[in-house]
Amino acid sequence: MATSELAVDRIRCDGSGLCAELLPELIQLDDWGYPMIAGGPVPKHLLPDARRAVAACPVLALALQRSQQAPR
Amino acid sequence: MRAARLFSGPELGAGAESFRDHRRRLGPAPAGSRNLIATLETSGLRGRGGGAFPVATKWRAVAKRSRGTAVVLANGAEGEPLSWKDRVLMAVRPHLVLDGAFMAASTVGATQVLLYLGEEHRAAAAAMSRALAERPEPERNIARLVASPNRYVAGEESAAVHFVNAGVATPTTVPPRPYERGVDGRATLVQNVESLAQVALAGRFGDEWYRSTGIDGQGTVLLSLSGAVAAPGVMEVEAGTTVGEAVAEAGGSSEPPRAVLLGGYFGTWIDASQAWAMPLETSRLKALGLSLGTGVVSILPDRACGVCETARMMQYLAGESAAQCGPCFFGLRALADACTGIAEGRSGPAELQRLQRWSSQVRGRGACRHPDGAVGFLQSALQVFWHEFQHHRAHGIQRVA
Ligand SMILES: Cc1cc2nc3c(=O)[nH]c(=O)nc-3n(C[C@H](O)[C@H](O)[C@H](O)COP(=O)(O)O)c2cc1C
Ligand code: SF4
Ligand code: SF4
């Protein structure tokens, strides 16, 4: 079954912290206000919140993507 | 043990070998081909720019996406402050690097070759530019030199591509990686210049020849030796030469050693007593959780202070963050300042907990591996100099490197 995981574009992210407010179960902020994301697939019951967090990111830095192994 | 493959031929002091002498000594370079990839595969050649990625695998990935329009970027940026091997290699054997680059181009189907090298590495740039002018016209027509800015991250592969595309030598978000979409959106092979020079020889003489020297048949490596050795400099050794043997080749220790920095600013401190017997070969070191990095072996003398040296290097790495990713920019700054606080005796052992906390927050959270390299380095410092970090305030700050 296809699963999804959260990925943040570190260059775009400006540390507004909105995502952590909307999805505290999976996203915490580090000491400088930047998101630390729990690795692995997003549990099904959290998918709606995850989508909300993605949509709320003001700089489009957060994405939900199909879990995959990078080719290298 | 010292070896002479890349550095065989005329005295290094004689400067760059001319194209004529190079061809007379080694014969013409073979054309690129699928067979060459197979040769590189069985030789086991790994990249010499720090990541030790298998060369054949990368060539195959680029060839697959090339459609005859790929780009080869020979990476001679060498931003690592303790490394000189790339610029020495380019200054004395420019045609080995060029052979490798053009063999790569014909193998992966590239129509452009970029020679990316440090703007301040003048001797290397002069030798490479003269060497290029000696090459046949079809090669000259597709190649040019690109002067890379004198910054640590400028040699990171996506930063190199970014610089060529947009004049900014900062890393970009990957994927897409350069081998997928690089210079002008084309599949781009980014390969360290020493890796390319090794290709020039392995491609001529074959995998059996390549594997006929070095531990586990891993050929030779270029080292940059510095610190407390009698004769610092660049040398070529058989893979698997121990740290102690390399130091002996460099005239021995100039004073009693305390620790060895292996791999450079992204590398690892190792207690001198343990380091001496370590084999300088990628897979052997990997089994010990270590990396040869760019071939840096730097000896910290016993009279110097590991804490002060670590703080100085962390300040450098923090200053070299490309300031694009929060955890890298703020995290490395915080880590470096905490180290300096300890080094200057302003803060005590309590600060060590913060170093641990911040290290774990920073690791893996940049667009490139700059923060990971810095944190890995710091962790090794905390291990090797644990006692000094604990008691630095007490035993004072007078011991300066
Ligand atoms: C911060 C940073 C700086 C780097 N600087 C260099 C460099 O100066 N030269 C180099 O060849 N590789 C450098 N690299 C590694 C390159 O990204 C890339 O892996 C390498 O050029 C590939 O060649 P190789 O496989 O032959 O080693 C750097 C990597 C990082 C993360
Ligand atoms: S909402 Fe977007 S910009 Fe803000 S912290 Fe999260 S990922 Fe970064
Ligand atoms: S991790 Fe650091 S050096 Fe790498 S791109 Fe981000 S800010 Fe720049």
Side-chain angles (χ1 to χ4, degrees), chain B residues 14 53 68 149 207 210 242 268 324 343:
Chain B
F53 190 79
D207 50 333
Y210 183 87
T242 63
T268 317
Q324 302 191 104

Side-chain angles (χ1 to χ4, degrees), chain A residues 22-39:
Chain A
L22 293 169
L23 190 58
E25 295 87 345
L26 296 181
I27 304 182
Q28 298 198 328
L29 299 181
D30 66 16
D31 289 8
W32 310 282
Y34 290 84
M36 300 188 289
I37 295 173

Side-chain angles (χ1 to χ4, degrees), chain A residues 11, chain B residues 153 170-171 318-326 328-330 370:
Chain A
I11 293 180
Chain B
V153 299
T170 55
E320 291 298 310
S321 163
Q324 302 191 104
C325 314
C328 174
F329 181 61
F330 293 107
H370 185 70

Side-chain angles (χ1 to χ4, degrees), chain B residues 87-99:
Chain B
R87 75 199 80 155
V88 168
L89 174 67
M90 291 186 281
V92 299
R93 297 290 180 269
H95 288 289
L96 283 180
V97 176
L98 292 177
D99 280 355

Side-chain angles (χ1 to χ4, degrees), chain A residues 9-13 29-32 34-36 71-72, chain B residues 53 157 171 173 179 324-326 330 357-358 361 365 367:
Chain A
D9 182 328
R10 298 284 169 200
I11 293 180
R12 276 177 181 251
C13 169
L29 299 181
D30 66 16
D31 289 8
W32 310 282
Y34 290 84
M36 300 188 289
R72 79 171 206 92
Chain B
F53 190 79
E157 57 178 17
T173 300
Y179 80 93
Q324 302 191 104
C325 314
F330 293 107
R357 173 186 169 82
W358 288 338
Q361 289 193 353
R365 293 184 56 239

Side-chain angles (χ1 to χ4, degrees), chain B residues 27-380:
Chain B
S33 65
R34 290 270 154 182
N35 283 344
L36 176 56
I37 298 187
T39 299
L40 297 177
E41 175 120 68
T42 43
S43 72
L45 176 62
R46 287 169 173 271
R48 304 298 173 86
F53 190 79
V55 170
T57 310
K58 203 192 281 186
W59 285 33
R60 225 173 249 128
V62 175
K64 204 172 103 189
R65 291 169 177 79
S66 157
R67 294 192 211 91
T69 64
V71 175
V72 170
L73 191 152
N75 194 351
E78 201 169 39
E80 163 64 48
L82 291 171
S83 181
W84 303 273
K85 54 106 178 167
D86 287 340
R87 75 199 80 155
V88 168
L89 174 67
M90 291 186 281
V92 299
R93 297 290 180 269
H95 288 289
L96 283 180
V97 176
L98 292 177
D99 280 355
F102 290 121
M103 285 157 79
S106 57
T107 301
V108 304
T111 50
Q112 202 184 350
V113 170
L114 300 169
L115 309 165
Y116 184 72
L117 53 111
E119 60 184 356
E120 292 184 356
H121 307 162
R122 298 224 168 74
M128 289 293 282
S129 131
R130 238 180 285 123
L132 185 58
E134 295 174 302
R135 305 290 292 204
E137 195 180 333
E139 291 184 353
R140 276 200 326 265
N141 285 344
I142 62 165
R144 69 183 166 95
L145 266 66
V146 177
S148 72
N150 182 27
R151 300 309 301 252
Y152 198 83
V153 299
E156 194 275 335
E157 57 178 17
S158 74
V161 165
H162 196 196
F163 184 70
V164 174
N165 284 342
V168 192
T170 55
T172 55
T173 300
V174 291
R177 290 181 176 278
Y179 80 93
E180 299 164 315
R181 205 179 325 142
V183 172
D184 296 335
R186 307 196 236 162
T188 299
L189 178 73
V190 179
Q191 200 85 68
N192 173 260
V193 290
E194 181 192 347
S195 313
L196 291 170
Q198 294 281 2
V199 166
L201 296 178
R204 276 185 172 85
F205 306 124
D207 50 333
E208 263 178 47
W209 171 86
Y210 183 87
R211 299 187 63 85
S212 67
T213 197
I215 202 168
D216 305 332
Q218 283 311 295
T220 66
V221 288
L222 294 183
L223 303 178
S224 305
L225 260 101
S226 59
V229 292
V234 173
M235 70 165 81
E236 183 174 18
V237 297
E238 288 177 17
T241 298
T242 63
V243 170
E245 288 165 345
V247 167
E249 291 282 354
S253 295
S254 56
E255 48 186 311
R258 164 70 179 90
V260 175
L261 179 70
L262 195 61
Y265 277 52
F266 281 179
T268 317
W269 285 115
I270 308 165
D271 199 88
S273 60
Q274 289 169 30
W276 240 239
M278 282 185 181
L280 298 166
E281 192 279 316
T282 296
S283 304
R284 297 278 177 128
L285 288 173
K286 198 170 170 200
L288 301 169
L290 300 167
S291 153
L292 187 53
T294 56
V296 165
V297 178
S298 188
I299 317 289
L300 185 77
D302 196 39
R303 77 180 154 79
C305 170
V307 176
C308 296
E309 194 59 14
T310 299
R312 186 188 63 71
M313 292 171 67
M314 285 301 294
Q315 286 293 346
Y316 172 83
L317 288 170
E320 291 298 310
S321 163
Q324 302 191 104
C325 314
C328 174
F329 181 61
F330 293 107
L332 293 190
R333 171 57 46 225
L335 285 166
D337 287 347
C339 286
T340 301
I342 296 173
E344 292 181 348
R346 284 184 278 108
S347 39
E351 199 73 351
L352 290 169
Q353 272 179 4
R354 295 217 285 177
L355 283 182
Q356 294 296 2
R357 173 186 169 82
W358 288 338
S359 291
S360 66
Q361 289 193 353
V362 165
R363 193 190 293 276
R365 293 184 56 239
C368 78
R369 300 182 57 78
H370 185 70
D372 306 18
V375 165
F377 161 74
L378 178 59
Q379 287 301 317
S380 75

Side-chain angles (χ1 to χ4, degrees), chain A residues 7-10 12-22 27 29 33-37 53-54 56-63:
Chain A
V8 56
D9 182 328
R10 298 284 169 200
R12 276 177 181 251
C13 169
D14 63 7
S16 65
L18 261 176
C19 54
E21 281 173 34
L22 293 169
I27 304 182
L29 299 181
Y34 290 84
M36 300 188 289
I37 295 173
V54 167
C57 173
V59 294
L60 307 178
L62 194 63

